[in-house]
Amino acid sequence: RANPGPERRNRGHGMKIPGIGLWHILSRRYEDGGRTGVCRFDFYIHQLFPEIQSITSCDGLSNLDNKTNLFIADNHMAMLVPPKFKVVVVHQGSAAAHYERDPAWRNPATMAIVESQDAMMSRPNTYFVAPSKWVYEQFQIRHGAYAVDHIPHWVPVVKQPPRGNRPLTIIGDWRD
């Protein structure tokens, strides 16, 4: 594995929730070479809940019991989880805000993320958590009042692989 990041075996001693299957759906994990804030969140949620399963697809999971399985998703990834399951969406950022302020980020794929974030607001069995005041406010502005909690979480800086000549891209606003 090239640049695998933190190993799962070093993930501490977390809590166990008896009788509940925990799943975290994300696009890339540290183990896959991912280095985003969502990957860091995945790493640290494993410290709290070591039994959580990190997945990049929900294929084959629709036969699970919807009363004993809980999914955690980053924004638009919630739309990949079958609607019968409960999902806690952790808003890591606002795709619409990013799309508006960063012309280099405007393309059909990123517009699809914006549209998925809009769609997730009406997804059944969904609970929303915002990790920063800015993200909380962006979703309030764009989607009006909805049930959301502002639960700030912090992760330490993770060394990034050298960027070479690639320009720096800032995703989100973490000033609070």
Side-chain angles (χ1 to χ4, degrees):
R1 291 183 330 211
N3 201 7
E7 296 292 336
R8 293 261 190 241
R9 62 184 160 76
N10 295 329
R11 289 198 170 184
H13 308 285
M15 302 178 346
K16 191 156 181 91
I17 303 175
I20 298 290
L22 290 174
W23 305 85
H24 183 217
I25 183 164
L26 66 161
S27 58
R28 286 185 77 183
R29 304 169 299 166
Y30 269 136
E31 293 83 352
D32 303 327
R35 294 291 179 266
T36 67
V38 175
C39 300
R40 287 193 304 272
F41 177 76
D42 179 64
F43 174 77
Y44 284 99
I45 201 166
H46 273 271
Q47 289 190 347
L48 184 60
F49 301 111
E51 78 280 5
I52 196 168
Q53 298 294 310
S54 295
I55 56 175
T56 57
S57 165
C58 287
D59 292 346
L61 298 179
S62 60
N63 61 343
L64 293 174
D65 180 11
N66 64 332
K67 295 190 184 334
T68 59
N69 287 279
L70 175 67
F71 288 78
I72 298 172
D74 163 48
N75 289 334
H76 65 287
M77 297 297 287
M79 297 308 291
L80 300 177
V81 179
K84 73 177 186 174
F85 292 110
K86 291 180 181 172
V87 175
V88 175
V89 174
V90 180
H91 291 307
Q92 300 287 349
S94 170
H98 190 177
Y99 194 91
E100 286 173 6
R101 74 171 181 241
D102 183 356
W105 203 68
R106 295 177 192 155
N107 62 57
T110 57
M111 178 49 77
I113 294 171
V114 172
E115 291 167 352
S116 290
Q117 281 189 2
D118 287 342
M120 78 179 177
M121 302 312 294
S122 60
R123 185 192 179 282
N125 298 314
T126 305
Y127 183 77
F128 299 96
V129 175
S132 75
K133 183 179 176 189
W134 182 86
V135 171
Y136 174 85
E137 290 170 350
Q138 286 300 306
F139 278 91
Q140 290 289 339
I141 289 166
R142 294 168 194 291
H143 302 286
Y146 65 98
V148 65
D149 282 320
H150 175 209
I151 304 175
H153 65 264
W154 172 87
V155 293
V157 174
V158 176
K159 289 187 178 182
Q160 298 289 318
R163 285 190 341 227
N165 292 330
R166 293 185 330 238
L168 178 63
T169 301
I170 297 174
I171 301 175
D173 185 336
W174 303 99
R175 290 179 282 193
D176 64 325

